[in-house]
């Protein structure tokens, strides 16, 4: 049997790699081979994906033996000892209950003025620069980075540090580079958490510090929570924004929908569906044997749930490979499913809607300064997050 490597690069930023689609054509589960030669399951069927993401017989605990690592950087301890996304109940549930109120729909709606202010600030910056402008460094990266920094209550003057350390962490191709960048972020957040125990401050760090003092949360847990939110909460949104611009410019007939407030949520949802920048809706290891749709996942085997392919399941979406802004509902796996469904999805949706609507309203003549196929897309050696490292534009 021919080995099928995972991950694979996309040939187009808004289409799944042909190799993944070929696997999906043979059934909802397939076997793929990781960088270290390990063979694991790749789930491409939508129904199977939702079923497995809700199955407590699969563990998200990254420290467990058998947990599948999709790139060398995930061998670093900083990438394996993560709260929320890398933990199982009951600890996961305790943290989730603590954080849910801060990311509820009501709370996120109250953040709109803050998000709009930040977007306007960076659009002013874009317009002040000589053309062509790299939209990644000038807009799509700093906007979600500052949003998450303000949510956490971090100092604005440290924004460049966060962006640089996060970039080095997420783009690392080795365990050592990942650990070094992660260590810098943890050190900063630990110092801030220590200060917030005696000195009140803004944002989530300030709100949760009393829980550390009261013994309801350890300082290590608070630092880990902040790290996960800071890194995951800005990189995925930044990548989505950049690839959304590419996608919209490749489909200019769809851009007008951004100016319609009633249609805008559907536009953002369709972009989230087709882009699915994290590529995976979940990474798990089986705790016991699981029978599903004629397949047997054995205890100890790794399971990768594909959002990229699951979002293109024809049993869920008509004409699933087409980009259509008239779709309704949120039947996609981009934010995962089950207890580990993305905590920050409401905020991500708000950022995508506000940033794209304002960007194309302010710069209606926006165009790529070089062909989309020649842009420097993120290499698969860093993991599965899709993105573009540079996006030169003019208007």
């Amino acid at each position: 049997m021919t080995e099928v490597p995972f991950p694979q690069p996309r040939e187009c930023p808004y289409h799944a790699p042909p190799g993944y689609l070929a696997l999906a054509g043979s059934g909802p589960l397939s076997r793929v081979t990781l960088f270290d030669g390990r063979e694991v399951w790749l789930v491409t069927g939508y129904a199977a994906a939702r079923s497995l993401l809700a199955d407590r017989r699969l563990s998200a605990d990254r420290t467990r033996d058998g947990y599948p690592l999709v790139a060398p950087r995930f061998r670093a301890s900083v990438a394996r000892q993560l709260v929320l996304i890398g933990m199982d109940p009951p600890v996961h549930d305790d943290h989730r209950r603590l954080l849910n109120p801060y990311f509820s729909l009501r709370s996120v709606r109250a953040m709109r003025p803050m998000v709009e202010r930040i977007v306007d600030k960076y659009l002013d910056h874009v317009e002040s620069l000589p053309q062509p402008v790299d939209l990644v460094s000038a807009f799509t990266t700093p906007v979600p980075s500052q949003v998450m920094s303000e949510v956490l209550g971090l100092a604005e003057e440290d924004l460049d540090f966060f962006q640089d350390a996060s970039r080095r962490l997420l783009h690392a191709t080795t365990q050592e580079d990942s650990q070094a960048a992660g260590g810098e972020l943890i050190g900063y957040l630990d110092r801030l958490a220590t200060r917030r125990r005696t000195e009140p401050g803004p944002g989530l760090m300030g709100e949760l510090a009393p829980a550390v003092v009261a013994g309801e949360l350890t300082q290590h847990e608070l630092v880990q929570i902040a790290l996960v939110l800071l890194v995951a909460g800005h990189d995925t949104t930044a990548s989505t924004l950049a690839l959304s611009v590419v996608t919209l410019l490749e489909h200019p007939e769809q851009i007008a929908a951004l100016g319609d407030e009633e249609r805008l949520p559907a536009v953002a949802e369709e972009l989230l569906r087709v882009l699915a920048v994290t590529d995976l809706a979940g990474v798990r290891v089986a705790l016991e044997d699981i029978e599903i749709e004629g397949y047997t996942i054995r205890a100890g085997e790794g399971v990768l749930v594909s959002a990229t392919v699951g979002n293109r399941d024809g049993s869920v979406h008509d004409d699933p490979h087409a980009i259509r802004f008239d779709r309704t509902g949120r039947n996609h796996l981009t934010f995962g499913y089950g207890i580990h469904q993305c905590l920050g999805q409401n905020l991500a949706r708000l950022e995508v809607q506000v940033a794209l609507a304002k960007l194309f309203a302010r710069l209606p003549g926006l165009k790529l300064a070089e062909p989309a196929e020649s842009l420097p897309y993120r290499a698969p050696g860093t993991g599965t997050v899709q993105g573009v490292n540079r996006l030169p534009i003019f208007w």
Side-chain angles (χ1 to χ4, degrees), residues 13 17 50 76 83 93 95 119 122 142 148 223 230 266 295 359:
R50 282 171 58 106
V83 299
D93 297 346
H95 291 159
V119 169
Y122 284 103
M148 189 51 65
V223 169
L230 180 65
Y295 298 85
L359 173 66

Side-chain angles (χ1 to χ4, degrees), residues 122-315:
Y122 284 103
L123 284 175
D124 290 343
H125 175 58
V126 167
E127 289 186 315
S128 73
L129 297 173
Q131 300 181 43
V133 173
D134 174 19
L135 203 63
V136 168
S137 62
F139 184 71
T140 63
T141 295
V143 164
S145 183
Q146 184 166 346
V147 167
M148 189 51 65
S149 292
E150 292 202 17
V151 168
L152 288 171
L154 310 182
E156 185 173 354
E157 59 266 26
D158 295 327
L159 191 61
D160 288 343
F161 161 71
F162 293 128
Q163 291 180 13
D164 177 65
S166 298
R167 178 191 58 78
R168 288 185 286 113
L169 173 64
L170 294 163
H171 290 233
T173 56
T174 68
Q175 174 181 344
E176 292 75 20
D177 289 345
S178 177
Q179 188 65 35
E184 291 178 27
L185 285 168
I186 288 173
Y188 173 90
L189 293 169
D190 187 63
R191 290 189 293 274
L192 180 59
T194 298
R195 188 161 74 247
R196 288 289 170 262
R197 292 173 68 173
T198 56
E199 178 186 315
L204 202 58
M205 293 288 281
E207 293 277 350
L208 293 181
V212 176
V213 175
E216 300 167 358
L217 192 70
T218 69
Q219 179 154 323
H220 173 75
E221 288 173 322
L222 176 57
V223 169
Q224 284 288 304
I225 287 170
L227 177 67
V228 169
L229 293 176
L230 180 65
V231 175
H234 99 260
D235 182 62
T236 52
T237 305
S239 295
T240 298
L241 287 175
L243 292 186
S244 290
V245 172
V246 177
T247 303
L248 287 163
L249 292 176
E250 292 279 286
H251 300 79
E253 73 283 358
Q254 306 275 20
I255 292 176
L258 293 171
D260 186 331
E261 289 188 9
E262 291 186 0
R263 297 177 64 193
L264 183 58
V267 173
E269 217 60 42
E270 178 70 344
L271 289 169
L272 287 164
R273 181 188 75 87
V274 298
L275 293 175
V277 297
T278 56
D279 238 359
L280 293 173
V283 181
R284 305 285 189 268
V285 59
L287 301 180
E288 56 185 271
D289 292 356
I290 300 172
E291 300 285 343
I292 182 167
E293 298 197 24
Y295 298 85
T296 302
I297 300 172
R298 300 294 182 189
E301 291 186 328
V303 178
L304 311 178
V305 181
S306 174
T308 304
V309 185
N311 286 354
R312 290 166 170 78
D313 191 322
S315 68

Side-chain angles (χ1 to χ4, degrees), residues 101-121:
Y102 298 98
F103 295 93
S104 68
L105 187 56
R106 180 178 180 179
S107 295
V108 168
R109 283 174 175 164
M111 297 179 193
R112 178 177 283 272
M114 177 263 287
V115 173
E116 291 178 337
R117 169 177 54 81
I118 291 171
V119 169
D120 285 335
K121 166 189 168 182

